[in-house]
Amino acid sequence: MVRHLQAIVQKCVCVLANKAALLMNKSTPTNPKGGLRITLSSNCARPRPVLAGLAFVCLLLGGCAGGVLPSSGPPSARVFKESVDTVGNPNSTVGYVVVNLRPEVVTHLNSEDGGRLFSNMRGRAKTSVALGIGDVVSITIYEAQRGGLFTSTEGNAAPGNAVELPRQQVDLAGNITVPYAGAIKAAGRSPQDVQLEIKSKLSGRAIDPQVLVSVADRISNSISVLGEVNTPARIPIEPGGIQLLPALARAGGTKAPAFESLVSIQRDGKIDSALLVAVNERPDNNIQLRPGDVVTVTRRPRYFLAFGATGQTTTLGPLDRRFPFDSYRMSLGDALAKAGGLQDDRAQAAAVFLYRFESRQALERMGVDVSLHPGPLVPTVYRADLEDPSGYFLISDFIMRDRDMIYVSNAPSVDFLKFITLIRSVPQTVSDYRVAAEARF
């Protein structure tokens, strides 16, 4: 049994060695006069040179290929290789582009963020002062002398009587009703126009009538503010109009912090959304609201993910790989620090990658060829080189976005050490089986 196990282990090592040698032969040009070319026989007659050659190959390749060694993600060489091989490959499910962080790239991306919001809902709001169906009006009728239609029967009534009619709502036909004047068309007319018509119909019956019509509750010309606000409300729009931020203030403000409060405006079957803090940053994003708008505030915590050779496995625990934003603008440098930084014994500082779906227009403006990527969003990998001292300035300006993914690749030497550990464990495993077999028999 022990001999059988030894044969299996030796065969596995030979397979790994031949696979690595094959990879090296493919990646190294042959030289007719003699060049670097490793060829291993299938019988592995000399295991010690095989192991030494395999270790050397693993060091050069940055780890054995094909998932032989455990890893938290792809090596940096494969990230770049797949970006070339995958683009345009009909058998591929996801093709992506790799963009190296440069000052012009960071500057361009930052200019894309924080622009004009609610682009489909701009323009001066058409605030109407006309009455509408459902509005509640208050009507007061004055007469110059006692003894008219609306004279009070109380003996102590003062000359110049006034009568306030019960409040009434504009009906579905758009009318209101006034005693001795009948049905009055109100919908689509201003309160002043309604006053004049009531006065005209009461003339000759009332004593020098004067009429005052005011809006008690403006329902047809209002907005609704719902969701994560302290006082959800329907807010009437005054003739001067109302902007987004004053409307939120009328609703008691938001419950969540501004950088987690997503404000959505529904208008004419369309919905547009933005974070409240982005509205605060630019006055022109504080748009005018229109009658019928529905403003909904939802709490939307933003987060990013961190994988690979980052410090979260030792500082925050192995399961805490999703990190919430604690401010509106977080740079890549802030995110790496929040994730615990780079692991000094694992990370390849030149291979810090950020994955996101980038807009097609932004990549085209940066000169990236996206002709093979249909659709408005392109899978993009940004690469930061932190072996370059200037790279730290770039990541301090590179702005993170919601759901960004950070991946830090292992250094090639890490995979080599993994391989050495694997090889060293083989004799111990064989020895353990031998001891177990001897103890059994």
Side-chain angles (χ1 to χ4, degrees), residues 79-314:
V79 174
F80 288 101
K81 177 178 180 297
E82 293 295 328
S83 69
V84 176
D85 295 347
T86 306
V87 173
N89 186 350
N91 298 322
S92 174
T93 56
V94 178
Y96 60 90
V97 297
V98 177
V99 180
N100 290 313
L101 285 190
R102 304 184 303 275
E104 56 271 22
V105 170
V106 175
T107 300
H108 179 82
L109 289 175
N110 289 348
S111 66
E112 294 283 332
D113 294 332
R116 290 167 61 88
L117 305 175
F118 305 113
S119 57
N120 296 325
M121 300 181 180
R122 290 188 172 272
R124 183 69 181 177
K126 297 179 180 179
T127 304
S128 174
V129 296
L131 297 172
I133 296 175
D135 288 349
V136 178
V137 296
S138 175
I139 303 173
T140 303
I141 301 175
Y142 299 86
E143 287 187 282
Q145 298 178 11
R146 296 182 61 184
L149 287 174
F150 302 99
T151 299
S152 174
T153 58
E154 297 180 2
N156 57 353
N161 297 282
V163 174
E164 184 176 352
L165 301 181
R167 293 182 179 182
Q168 58 180 307
Q169 197 171 36
V170 179
D171 61 23
L172 292 176
N175 299 327
I176 59 174
T177 302
V178 178
Y180 304 106
I184 305 294
K185 185 70 174 179
R189 304 176 67 184
S190 68
Q192 291 76 15
D193 291 339
V194 176
Q195 290 175 180
L196 293 176
E197 183 173 350
I198 296 174
K199 178 181 177 180
S200 175
K201 289 189 174 183
L202 291 178
S203 295
R205 307 187 68 177
I207 302 175
D208 191 15
Q210 302 294 318
V211 180
L212 179 62
V213 176
S214 60
V215 182
D217 192 1
R218 193 179 288 273
I219 295 177
S220 65
N221 201 29
S222 63
I223 61 170
S224 298
V225 183
L226 310 171
E228 292 295 313
V229 292
N230 291 302
T231 311
R234 179 178 51 80
I235 301 173
I237 299 181
E238 303 300 333
I242 188 170
Q243 293 178 292
L244 175 58
L245 292 180
L248 292 175
R250 292 277 297 273
T254 60
K255 295 180 180 179
F259 63 87
E260 289 186 352
S261 297
L262 185 69
V263 180
S264 301
I265 302 176
Q266 180 177 341
R267 176 187 297 172
D268 299 331
K270 298 179 180 179
I271 299 178
D272 209 346
S273 304
L275 287 173
L276 177 58
V277 67
V279 179
N280 290 332
E281 283 195 340
R282 292 183 52 169
D284 60 342
N285 288 330
N286 185 23
I287 64 170
Q288 287 276 346
L289 298 177
R290 297 182 182 179
D293 283 354
V294 178
V295 180
T296 305
V297 180
T298 55
R299 184 169 188 173
R300 184 178 177 180
R302 298 182 301 152
Y303 61 85
F304 68 92
L305 307 177
F307 301 104
T310 55
Q312 80 278 359
T313 56
T314 57

Side-chain angles (χ1 to χ4, degrees), residues 311-323:
Q312 80 278 359
T313 56
T314 57
T315 60
L316 300 176
L319 299 180
D320 195 1
R321 295 179 180 270
R322 193 170 86 159
F323 300 89

